[in-house]
Amino acid sequence: LYSAGAVVYALLTGRPPYSGETAEEVLDAIKAGPPKKPSSFVRKIPARFDAMVLKLLAPSQADRYASPEQLLADFDTLSEE
């Protein structure tokens, strides 16, 4: 699910969630904290969707979606808004 979050982030913003010249720089960026909210690049993205994408990219696995079903359930509630 983490990888799906990175792909969704890139599709939404046109850039990866973390960047760097080397793999070490990318890892340092990941360790430094969460990426910018997708809506900081694309203002039309709802705050709830921002939260979902950032939850997919949470550094700690305990803070991410535990299953694809949980993610789909959030998508269902997003479509109801």
Side-chain angles (χ1 to χ4, degrees):
L1 291 174
Y2 183 90
S3 297
V7 170
V8 170
Y9 189 100
L11 289 171
L12 288 171
T13 66
R15 63 189 75 213
Y18 301 100
S19 60
E21 294 287 323
T22 65
E24 185 176 346
E25 287 180 4
V26 173
L27 290 173
D28 287 342
I30 292 169
K31 291 175 188 174
K36 290 184 179 181
K37 294 178 182 179
S39 63
S40 66
F41 301 106
V42 181
R43 295 181 193 265
K44 293 182 180 182
I45 296 172
R48 179 81 176 110
F49 197 63
D50 264 345
M52 290 173 63
V53 173
L54 294 179
K55 185 172 180 174
L56 285 164
L57 294 169
S60 171
Q61 188 172 1
D63 295 331
R64 295 183 212 141
Y65 290 99
S67 68
E69 291 78 18
Q70 282 185 346
L71 174 60
L72 291 174
D74 264 6
F75 270 117
D76 287 343
T77 62
L78 182 67
S79 66
E80 295 169 1
E81 292 180 3

